């Protein structure tokens, strides 16, 4: 099977307006990218893992926050590179300024032989729906659309 990820689309209503929680990937490749680069907190999982449990695990790894409650299953989407993303929406409210992401290592600069450590997520933010659709990976915008339909 191809690569697959599972994630959580956290949402809230503030002053009557719907907002979604998105994360910005860390590391040197996304440092200067903004529109179209944000994502739901998500990560890869294996075929023998429960996708919802993987989504909850990845949310915690990328934000430092445990998420529980009533999850709304969304239809999977396929990103440009072919990765299938399974996602669940849930209402909640976390402080985007206090997230604590796990880290990964990679050779940087390329072919330097030096390993550097980078946060998987370098920042998070709550966005209104219109802004979120601009910020999020284009394929993942379908998750926001489906959330709106289900609410």
């Amino acid at each position: 099977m191809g690569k697959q990820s599972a994630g959580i689309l956290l949402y809230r209503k503030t002053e009557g307006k719907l907002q979604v929680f998105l994360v910005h990937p860390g590391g040197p490749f996304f440092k200067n990218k903004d529109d179209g680069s944000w994502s739901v907190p998500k990560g890869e999982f294996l075929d023998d893992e429960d996708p919802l449990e993987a989504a909850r695990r990845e949310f915690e790894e990328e934000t430092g926050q445990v998420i529980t409650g009533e999850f709304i299953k969304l239809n999977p989407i396929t990103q440009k590179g072919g990765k299938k993303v399974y996602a669940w929406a849930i209402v909640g409210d976390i402080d985007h300024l206090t997230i604590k992401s796990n880290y990964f290592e990679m050779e940087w600069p390329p072919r330097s032989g030096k390993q550097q450590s980078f946060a998987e997520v370098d920042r998070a933010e709550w966005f209104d729906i219109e802004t979120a659709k601009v910020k999020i990976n284009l394929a993942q915008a379908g998750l926001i659309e489906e959330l709106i339909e289900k609410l």
Side-chain angles (χ1 to χ4, degrees):
M1 183 170 210
K3 287 191 175 186
Q4 56 189 6
S5 283
I8 302 288
L9 177 57
L10 188 65
Y11 68 94
R12 69 181 183 187
K13 281 199 175 167
T14 302
E15 297 175 11
K17 292 194 180 221
L18 185 63
Q19 293 182 321
V20 293
F21 178 82
L22 301 177
V23 295
H24 186 270
F29 298 121
F30 291 93
K31 184 178 178 186
N32 297 316
K33 293 181 180 170
D34 190 48
D35 291 352
S37 296
W38 292 71
S39 173
V40 299
K42 64 174 181 48
E44 291 185 6
F45 69 99
L46 303 173
D47 289 340
D48 63 348
E49 284 185 272
D50 176 68
L52 177 55
E53 287 308 308
R56 293 177 66 201
R57 178 194 70 231
E58 291 296 330
F59 189 92
E60 184 175 357
E61 285 180 5
E62 293 191 352
T63 67
Q65 306 282 327
V66 175
I67 195 82
T68 59
E70 211 170 301
F71 293 91
I72 302 167
K73 186 172 179 28
L74 302 173
N75 290 315
I77 56 96
T78 303
Q79 296 186 158
K80 189 176 171 183
K83 182 185 286 184
K84 194 170 195 174
V85 178
Y86 298 85
W88 287 261
I90 187 168
V91 66
D93 193 6
I94 63 173
D95 184 349
H96 67 282
L97 297 174
T98 61
I99 65 158
K100 291 196 178 7
S101 175
N102 58 346
Y103 284 76
F104 68 96
E105 283 201 354
M106 66 180 283
E107 182 181 19
W108 192 259
R111 298 178 295 286
S112 67
K114 295 178 184 175
Q115 291 290 313
Q116 287 197 45
S117 187
F118 299 96
E120 254 189 73
V121 166
D122 61 13
R123 62 190 187 274
E125 185 105 18
W126 285 97
F127 293 107
D128 62 64
I129 297 305
E130 295 74 30
T131 306
K133 288 180 185 177
V134 171
K135 298 291 184 186
I136 199 166
N137 174 298
L138 186 59
Q140 292 181 34
L143 300 172
I144 296 172
E145 291 293 338
E146 186 178 357
L147 171 64
I148 293 166
E149 289 172 19
K150 290 192 174 198
L151 295 179

